[in-house]
Amino acid sequence: MFKSSITILRISGIPIRIHVSFLLILAFLTYAIGQNIQSIANLAGVNVGDLTVNPYGLGLILTILLFVSVTFHELAHSFVARRQGMTIRSITLMLLGGVAQMEEDIDESGEMMMALAGPLFSFVFGIALLLSLRVLVPFIGPDTHLVIYYLGVINIFLAVFNMLPAFPSDGGRILRSLIARRVPYLKATRIATNIGKGFAVLFAIFGFLTGNLLLILIAFFIYVGASQEYQLNVIRDVFSGFEVADVMSDEVSTVRADDSVSTLLRRMMDERHSGYPVVNDSGDVVGCVTLGDVRAMPQELAGEKRIRDIMSSELITVQPHDDLYQAFKKLSSADIGRLMVLDADGGLRGILTRSDIMKVYRIKALQEEQSRFEG
Ligand code: ZN
């Protein structure tokens, strides 16, 4: 999802990245502000005739400062998260604001503080800017006046907008932490998600009625975001307490790197497997080979090519005692069908496929059945 973004700078070790969609909004807002400079100046209490900077120049400055504000907002979240021991991978600026990517999920007690930090910063910063105008006005020109005024308004808007209880927004996360004090976390997530979806529907209806396209877009993102976040929580809840060794397939047939590709094809046909770990003469895993690798090479070479010529040697591995949820995330983010399970000294212990992971649901259902029977 974030591959189409580039890093523009680092702040205290956190890469700040911009997404391609950001360039669209940059152009759009610059244009929109330039077009409406008259009414924007009126609201700020500035006479439009006194402005010296070109309206589109002001539009560009304001838009860039808007995203600087969003970056500050995300940094506020990130610094609090860091204090709670989280690792922040990056901050990405995109179409509708910013996203801070964290290495792991934050725990329940830390979430409230982290969610509050962003809006609180934006609010205080916005108020401070507006108050500073009272002092500064005699000393600054109309252009600076307009910019400071709007920067203040934008930051207060950021605070208010993010505090709407439209999960997964900041306000939605705070609401979830509050609900989670009374009911189990997953149920709290479900309630917060439904409230978030309710808001999304309201936004969408209001957007359609007023012809506000941006509101409809926001509604869409909230709806999808709420559903995804809930799904992740369900999965995390189901997986908790399981490790890789609980569900991996430990009978693994391997192929040898020096075998010919035609031998591999026969094995695939006989055993109905579409992928194998590849081992060398001393039994160490050196790669993996799939039907896709075979298909990618000209058929007539199958007799002379060795498996080592076509295998991929980039191994994505887990260890038997790794947390199953982390393994699942690894599998999804690498977009591959199987992970190799190696023990600490590199010996092949098993293989973990998507269908292995799905066994968890059956085990979980059985456990619940059993506890109902006993209880
Ligand atoms: Zn936020």
Side-chain angles (χ1 to χ4, degrees):
M1 189 180 175
F2 301 105
K3 272 178 192 143
S4 36
S5 44
I6 53 162
T7 303
I8 45 166
L9 77 159
R10 279 163 199 281
I11 297 176
S12 130
I14 302 171
I16 312 290
R17 298 147 65 87
I18 55 173
H19 188 259
V20 282
S21 63
F22 165 86
L23 297 175
L24 277 177
I25 203 78
L26 188 73
F28 171 75
L29 279 179
T30 302
Y31 175 78
I33 295 171
Q35 282 283 301
N36 298 297
I37 199 72
Q38 175 83 57
S39 44
I40 286 173
N42 286 348
L43 276 174
V46 174
N47 186 349
V48 76
D50 295 341
L51 294 173
T52 54
V53 181
N54 175 294
Y56 297 98
L58 280 173
L60 184 63
I61 293 170
L62 275 176
T63 308
I64 290 173
L65 289 175
L66 161 66
F67 280 94
V68 170
S69 303
V70 172
T71 306
F72 284 164
H73 175 107
E74 295 302 325
L75 280 172
H77 284 307
S78 303
F79 287 148
V80 172
R82 218 183 230 182
R83 279 202 130 156
Q84 322 245 2
M86 305 285 119
T87 313
I88 309 297
R89 260 194 295 167
S90 63
I91 289 174
T92 306
L93 301 177
M94 47 202 300
L95 187 61
L96 293 167
V99 183
Q101 261 101 41
M102 272 169 292
E103 195 80 340
E104 56 282 281
D105 303 287
I106 195 159
D107 69 1
E108 291 135 44
S109 57
E111 183 167 41
M112 171 105 97
M113 295 274 289
M114 193 201 105
L116 260 176
L120 191 67
F121 172 83
S122 299
F123 188 74
V124 172
F125 186 47
I127 294 286
L129 283 167
L130 291 183
L131 286 179
S132 78
L133 267 185
R134 295 179 166 225
V135 185
L136 291 175
V137 161
F139 311 105
I140 55 177
D143 301 282
T144 318
H145 183 159
L146 184 138
V147 168
I148 294 179
Y149 177 82
Y150 272 98
L151 202 55
V153 172
I154 282 167
N155 275 280
I156 293 170
F157 173 78
L158 269 180
V160 172
F161 181 71
N162 278 288
M163 280 305 281
L164 287 177
F167 191 78
S169 70
D170 299 333
R173 288 178 192 281
I174 294 167
L175 180 70
R176 173 174 67 181
S177 322
L178 291 175
I179 301 173
R181 292 184 178 174
R182 296 173 163 267
V183 301
Y185 194 65
L186 191 62
K187 196 174 173 198
T189 306
R190 193 170 62 225
I191 296 170
T193 304
N194 287 336
I195 296 174
K197 285 181 174 175
F199 262 94
V201 171
L202 280 181
F203 281 177
I205 292 172
F206 193 70
F208 275 116
L209 289 179
T210 57
N212 189 334
L213 199 68
L214 196 61
L215 208 56
I216 298 172
L217 204 63
I218 291 171
F220 173 77
F221 276 96
I222 292 175
Y223 198 92
V224 173
S227 312
Q228 280 178 348
E229 180 84 20
Y230 180 61
Q231 287 290 315
L232 268 182
N233 274 277
V234 170
I235 292 170
R236 191 169 61 158
D237 188 65
V238 170
F239 285 9
S240 71
F242 285 96
E243 53 186 41
V244 170
D246 295 331
V247 295
M248 69 181 190
S249 313
D250 41 17
E251 275 177 41
V252 193
S253 43
T254 57
V255 292
R256 285 152 40 93
D258 289 329
D259 285 347
S260 71
V261 173
S262 50
T263 318
L264 171 70
L265 265 174
R266 260 200 310 280
R267 286 274 301 274
M268 284 181 166
M269 238 95 91
D270 292 347
E271 297 171 13
R272 294 179 187 282
H273 273 319
S274 60
Y276 290 94
V278 183
V279 294
N280 63 13
D281 288 338
S282 41
D284 298 329
V285 182
V286 291
C288 67
V289 68
T290 65
L291 196 53
D293 297 324
V294 178
R295 286 214 182 106
M297 126 202 141
Q299 280 267 289
E300 58 274 17
L301 294 179
E304 48 192 276
K305 285 270 189 195
R306 307 277 128 194
I307 291 176
R308 72 163 74 256
D309 302 326
I310 63 163
M311 71 180 192
S312 69
S313 44
E314 196 188 320
L315 289 177
I316 302 185
T317 64
V318 286
Q319 295 195 357
H321 296 298
D322 281 354
D323 190 43
L324 190 61
Y325 179 64
Q326 299 304 330
F328 165 77
K329 287 214 294 196
K330 219 173 196 179
L331 197 65
S332 327
S333 67
D335 200 23
I336 43 173
R338 48 177 64 77
L339 293 173
M340 285 189 213
V341 187
L342 303 183
D343 55 30
D345 37 289
L348 184 64
R349 287 282 310 278
I351 210 153
L352 184 74
T353 64
R354 282 167 197 272
S355 54
D356 290 329
I357 288 180
M358 292 310 136
K359 283 183 208 160
V360 163
Y361 288 96
R362 256 179 295 149
I363 299 174
K364 200 84 177 175
L366 273 175
Q367 284 175 347
E368 271 161 26
E369 194 73 10
Q370 216 161 19
S371 69
R372 201 173 312 149
F373 185 69
E374 285 161 0

